[in-house]
Amino acid sequence: MSYEQIAQESAPKRKQRFLLHFLCSWALLGVLLAAPVAQANASTLSREEVVAYIERSVNAFARSINSHSVDVTVDEFKIPGVCDTPVKMELSDPSRPVGRMTLTLICEQPRYWKTRVKAQSAVTVDMVVAKKPLKRGQSIQGGDLSSKAVNIAYVRYSYFTEKKKLIGKVVSRNVSAGRVLTPRLVEMPEWVKRDDVVIIEARRDNMLARMKGIALESGSEGDTIRVKNITSEKEIQATVSAPGTVSTTF
């Protein structure tokens, strides 16, 4: 019907036509609202995506400790359903993903679900170990040491990767052959013992004076100990700088 025809209609007919159009519009809106809403971006998480996430986490940790030997095994698992939002993945120990671990998967929409994935990883590092049994108090020499690839999952403490950092240190307790050497098993040798006669090196700018003293405490390299100047009989604080030698400033 043209605009001129509608304009020529009587007021009651125009009102009736408007009401009919209004009711039809609301009926159409009701049909649209009643229709099921599509689940946009709904997807099922694959096993490959889960395994890739675990491998990325383990490889990133391996790189941080300079390891190039990684092995990851993931147990069988099932995904409960689709998820409209990205599935949250939480490792049991993200800072150290080695040994047995658990990855928790969490979905919020369209319905909440949570499942756990079991996995295991081996990250090996070349560590310094005792080549032969070492006795407490023994000074470590190059021939006492060897290297071995060790799964870091079984090492809970710090370790050494360079033999030279252990040469000259003293074994603090008996160590069996093949054992990983850690800072807990070694200590710095005592360069000065209590009551030893030591050389005191006193520096000031480019000047250096040497005199004898008596160590009032034992100490290793870098330790600050009390020393008595034999000549002046004054007690001073000095740093152990070499075997039998302490340094100070004046």
Side-chain angles (χ1 to χ4, degrees), residues 42-180:
S43 61
T44 301
L45 189 67
S46 68
R47 174 182 174 83
E48 289 72 19
E49 291 174 291
V50 173
V51 172
Y53 177 85
I54 295 174
E55 289 179 341
R56 284 197 303 272
S57 300
V58 175
N59 282 316
F61 171 74
R63 287 193 298 271
S64 72
I65 59 172
N66 297 317
S67 169
H68 304 286
S69 178
V70 175
D71 182 63
V72 178
T73 303
V74 180
D75 295 354
E76 291 299 322
F77 63 92
K78 292 183 179 180
I79 301 296
V82 299
C83 194
D84 290 351
T85 56
V87 176
K88 294 180 182 177
M89 300 188 189
E90 300 176 351
L91 278 169
S92 50
D93 188 356
S95 64
R96 200 173 188 272
V98 293
R100 293 296 300 177
M101 70 184 82
T102 300
L103 177 68
T104 302
L105 308 177
I106 302 174
C107 177
E108 302 290 349
Q109 297 292 338
R111 65 179 182 84
Y112 178 86
W113 56 256
K114 179 167 72 173
T115 190
R116 291 181 173 84
V117 178
K118 300 292 184 180
Q120 183 168 340
S121 73
V123 177
T124 57
V125 177
D126 287 335
M127 302 182 189
V128 180
V129 300
K131 189 175 182 179
K132 53 189 177 182
L134 303 177
K135 294 183 178 180
R136 180 181 179 182
Q138 179 179 339
S139 178
I140 299 175
Q141 306 301 318
D144 299 326
L145 307 173
S146 183
S147 294
K148 182 172 69 174
V150 180
N151 184 352
I152 199 170
Y154 303 117
V155 180
R156 301 305 301 179
Y157 304 103
S158 300
Y159 50 87
F160 295 93
T161 57
E162 299 178 58
K163 297 177 185 177
K164 63 182 181 181
K165 292 186 177 180
L166 283 162
I167 304 299
K169 286 185 168 59
V170 174
V171 182
S172 60
R173 64 188 72 178
N174 292 340
V175 176
S176 58
R179 183 171 181 179
V180 175

Side-chain angles (χ1 to χ4, degrees), residues 190-202 209-219 225-231 234 236-248:
E190 286 188 344
W191 280 357
V192 172
K193 295 184 181 297
R194 182 178 179 180
D195 296 329
D196 278 356
V197 175
V198 297
I199 298 299
I200 302 172
E201 293 186 339
R210 289 188 174 91
M211 60 211 75
K212 289 185 177 181
I214 300 294
L216 302 179
E217 296 176 290
S218 299
I225 63 174
R226 294 180 298 114
V227 178
K228 182 179 180 180
N229 186 319
I230 293 178
T231 303
K234 288 185 178 179
I236 63 171
Q237 295 284 327
T239 301
V240 179
S241 55
T245 304
V246 297
S247 298
T248 187

